[in-house]
Amino acid sequence: AQKITQTQPGMFVQEKEAVTLDCTYDTSDQSYGLFWYKQPSSGEMIFLIYQGSYDEQNATEGRYSLNFQKARKSANLVISASQLGDSAMYFCAMREANQAGTALIFGKGTTLSVSS
Amino acid sequence: DAGVIQSPRHEVTEMGQEVTLRCKPISGHDYLFWYRQTMMRGLELLIYFNNNVPIDDSGMPEDRFSAKMPNASFSTLKIQPSEPRDSAVYFCASSSADYGYTFGSGTRLTVV
């Protein structure tokens, strides 16, 4: 079974609009970490935001916020005020046991296209 | 900090040839991960190291793949012999005691 599910292969949004990228996860661990990465067409993996399973507040980093709903096992990424430069592939990832030495498990990704 | 450095950025090789991908992690990071990215399978973990010791190599597809980390500042991923289905982008990432993982720019491998 997939540990990380991203059900939206592609999303389209206009500049300045907000967009939500969905991510659900499956784990039996109580302690885990959730990550979002951006991969532009140039190919590098850029870290965006992190949420620990015990964090009470939703994580925010500038225009990025993570809508963490623990009971639903969802960790959606919200991008406010989209910009053309946000066009990229976005990956949700999880680290079980939430320790530095645990590998990230990635979802299949969502391609975001921002138009003017 | 120069980040995680991978070389080469692009590699084109003929089927049957040996391919060696290289990675220099961030100084002080004691975990190193190798991932492979393809359209069909997404990002897959191949192997990871802690303090230069392989911890989990269950993602290595077959015996043609091998990885080493002879010291804290260098790791290699070798494919011998290479096959067209090995064509992918290979990423190296390193991390430390905080939560962050830093990825290299990747090596795009094409086997013809």
Side-chain angles (χ1 to χ4, degrees):
Chain A
Q2 278 190 338
K3 295 265 190 179
I4 298 286
T5 303
Q6 294 181 254
T7 57
Q8 307 152 313
M11 289 287 284
F12 297 87
V13 68
Q14 288 210 309
E15 261 187 310
K16 301 178 186 177
E17 290 183 351
V19 62
T20 298
L21 305 183
D22 294 341
C23 172
T24 57
Y25 59 91
D26 183 27
T27 182
S28 56
D29 284 358
Q30 296 300 308
S31 176
Y32 50 90
L34 297 156
F35 299 73
W36 278 91
Y37 281 82
K38 172 184 179 181
Q39 186 177 42
S41 58
S42 51
E44 69 267 32
M45 295 288 287
I46 302 168
F47 167 74
L48 295 178
I49 197 166
Y50 162 82
Q51 178 89 39
S53 59
Y54 291 122
D55 294 342
E56 294 187 354
Q57 302 284 338
N58 284 345
T60 60
E61 290 285 350
R63 295 186 298 110
Y64 304 108
S65 60
L66 200 153
N67 184 359
F68 180 46
Q69 298 187 42
K70 195 169 182 176
R72 297 179 60 185
K73 293 189 174 178
S74 75
N76 298 339
L77 177 70
V78 181
I79 305 175
S80 63
S82 297
Q83 301 172 357
L84 294 178
D86 294 334
S87 294
M89 181 84 106
Y90 288 80
F91 291 96
C92 180
M94 176 175 65
R95 174 175 69 191
E96 292 179 306
N98 210 18
Q99 298 171 5
T102 310
L104 291 176
I105 304 164
F106 286 87
K108 297 291 188 187
T110 295
T111 301
L112 176 65
S113 300
V114 182
S115 58
S116 57
Chain B
D1 191 346
V4 176
I5 299 173
Q6 291 188 247
S7 64
R9 286 297 308 273
H10 302 272
E11 176 82 32
V12 180
T13 190
E14 291 188 346
M15 184 173 62
Q17 296 297 306
E18 177 179 295
V19 175
T20 300
L21 311 182
R22 296 172 176 80
C23 175
K24 177 179 168 54
I26 290 174
S27 177
H29 281 192
D30 44 9
Y31 292 92
L32 184 139
F33 305 83
W34 282 100
Y35 285 88
R36 178 172 69 175
Q37 184 178 28
T38 60
M39 289 290 290
M40 292 296 295
R41 300 174 70 88
L43 278 151
E44 306 172 276
L45 175 71
L46 298 177
I47 185 171
Y48 76 96
F49 296 83
N50 174 217
N51 292 325
N52 316 336
V53 176
I55 301 300
D56 183 356
D57 65 354
S58 59
M60 296 286 263
E62 46 197 278
D63 292 345
R64 298 184 297 107
F65 285 69
S66 63
K68 293 182 180 179
M69 192 165 185
N71 57 61
S73 59
F74 184 65
S75 178
T76 59
L77 178 68
K78 188 175 293 187
I79 308 172
Q80 164 65 18
S82 58
E83 297 182 2
R85 60 192 168 121
D86 302 331
S87 297
V89 179
Y90 291 81
F91 285 101
C92 173
S94 68
S95 74
S96 64
D98 66 15
Y99 59 78
Y101 297 74
T102 304
F103 282 75
S105 298
T107 294
R108 182 173 295 276
L109 173 65
T110 304
V111 183
V112 298

